[in-house]
Amino acid sequence: MNIGAAARHSGLPPKTIRYYEEIGLLKADRAQNGYRDYSGEDVHRLRFVQRARGLGFSVEECRQLLSLYGNSGRESSDVKALASAKLTEIDRKIEELKGLRKTLSHLVASCHGDDRPECPIIDGLAGRTDA
Amino acid sequence: MNIGAAARHSGLPPKTIRYYEEIGLLKADRAQNGYRDYSGEDVHRLRFVQRARGLGFSVEECRQLLSLYGNSGRESSDVKALASAKLTEIDRKIEELKGLRKTLSHLVASCHGDDRPECPIIDGLAGRTDA
DNA sequence: GTAAGCCTTCCAGTTACTGGAAGCTCAAGA
DNA sequence: TCTTGAGCTTCCAGTAACTGGAAGGCTTAC
């Protein structure tokens, strides 16, 4: 299977697949004409990475997950630890965004948003507490 | 005021302040010895950017906000529009993370996490629906 | 005078791609 | 058979927003 087909089956752009190969994440065989040649198992791994990336795992984490994926002697606790850490990280990000949201929505709500130059948002960003 | 002092007053590292100058966001006067020289107003602008970045505005958005900040003839609706768009974006990110969280926590919860190789997390990433 | 601590510039690296150019290969149609 | 277009190759450069480090100048205190 050429890279275009592998891209369609995995949901990753060809550029990204080549990039993953360049950084040593996933290598493909080569056909006689020099084209990359993907097996069904290769495509499985590509989809695997595509899903893991979509769930917020970094490329380096995908590298770890891939080695666990292909390792039938793995312990599920290894994978669970990785995933749990990621979950904690996601929770932290959500809380952080909620904090931003709160501050920003206060500022937006207190701004009348008309043609007058007075603007509580600007004042808030400038650190003026009388906003 | 030298860059180190400006850094302490604004909460931005010197490296970042130099970077902002390099990209034309904030320029400083120079003392006779070639050192950057920051006025109180410069420091206000640095803090302004520091706060806006902390609220999730991109550097380019900070550039816009800065020009509105210094523009006494601005309309508060301009600023409100920028901030509202950012708020929407933050909401979208929160929802996206919640979705990730849900999927990942399902996977984590269904994984026994012991020394056996069976792992619903790996299976889930691999697209096996019997996980 | 010399050492520490600041400042300067410049170059390179980070993350995870993405875009584009130059050129080769392959399949189909006139 | 020739050509055209799609798809493939590599390589170089750029993105966002810094960050680290090297090499060297300035300042201040002892």
Side-chain angles (χ1 to χ4, degrees):
Chain A
M1 189 186 313
N2 282 350
I3 198 170
R8 280 187 297 278
H9 287 303
S10 67
L12 290 168
K15 276 272 186 188
T16 301
I17 298 177
R18 289 195 196 97
Y19 169 72
Y20 286 164
E21 182 174 316
E22 188 189 326
I23 63 171
L25 190 63
L26 289 152
K27 61 217 155 305
D29 286 342
R30 293 293 176 132
Q32 293 204 320
N33 57 11
Y35 287 15
R36 287 172 181 81
D37 186 24
Y38 295 87
S39 69
E41 190 47 40
D42 288 334
V43 171
H44 279 317
R45 270 189 284 268
L46 286 169
R47 282 195 67 79
F48 180 89
V49 171
Q50 191 265 338
R51 286 205 186 84
R53 290 285 300 124
L55 278 175
F57 288 93
S58 73
V59 169
E60 282 317 301
E61 286 162 343
C62 288
R63 204 187 293 273
Q64 291 179 257
L65 286 170
L66 266 182
S67 82
L68 292 167
Y69 170 73
N71 176 5
S72 58
R74 72 177 170 245
E75 300 187 4
S76 65
S77 57
D78 292 343
V79 185
K80 188 164 184 170
L82 217 65
S84 298
K86 185 53 60 178
L87 204 49
T88 303
E89 198 182 310
I90 289 173
D91 283 340
R92 198 183 42 67
K93 278 187 194 163
I94 289 175
E95 286 314 307
E96 187 182 335
L97 284 173
K98 280 184 179 171
L100 296 187
R101 210 217 108 83
K102 192 174 168 188
T103 305
L104 199 53
S105 69
H106 274 317
L107 292 175
V108 167
S110 57
C111 175
H112 33 70
D114 54 19
D115 57 2
R116 284 174 292 170
E118 298 91 56
C119 180
I121 299 172
I122 288 283
D123 291 346
L125 289 172
R128 289 177 207 121
T129 49
D130 57 309
Chain B
M1 187 186 312
N2 282 350
I3 197 170
R8 281 188 295 280
H9 288 303
S10 67
L12 290 168
K15 275 273 185 189
T16 301
I17 297 178
R18 289 194 197 97
Y19 169 72
Y20 286 163
E21 181 174 317
E22 189 188 325
I23 63 171
L25 190 63
L26 288 153
K27 62 220 154 301
D29 286 343
R30 293 292 176 132
Q32 293 205 320
N33 58 10
Y35 286 15
R36 287 173 182 80
D37 186 23
Y38 293 88
S39 68
E41 189 48 39
D42 288 333
V43 171
H44 280 317
R45 270 189 284 269
L46 286 169
R47 281 194 68 78
F48 180 89
V49 172
Q50 191 266 337
R51 285 205 186 84
R53 290 285 298 126
L55 278 175
F57 288 92
S58 73
V59 167
E60 283 317 301
E61 286 163 341
C62 288
R63 205 187 290 274
Q64 291 180 258
L65 286 170
L66 266 182
S67 81
L68 292 167
Y69 171 72
N71 176 5
S72 58
R74 71 174 173 250
E75 300 188 3
S76 65
S77 57
D78 291 344
V79 185
K80 187 164 184 169
L82 217 65
S84 298
K86 186 52 61 178
L87 204 49
T88 303
E89 197 182 310
I90 288 173
D91 282 340
R92 198 183 41 68
K93 277 187 194 163
I94 289 175
E95 286 314 306
E96 188 184 335
L97 284 173
K98 280 185 179 170
L100 297 187
R101 209 216 108 83
K102 193 175 168 187
T103 305
L104 199 54
S105 70
H106 274 317
L107 292 175
V108 168
S110 57
C111 175
H112 34 68
D114 54 21
D115 56 3
R116 284 173 293 170
E118 298 90 57
C119 180
I121 299 172
I122 288 283
D123 291 345
L125 288 172
R128 288 175 209 124
T129 49
D130 56 307

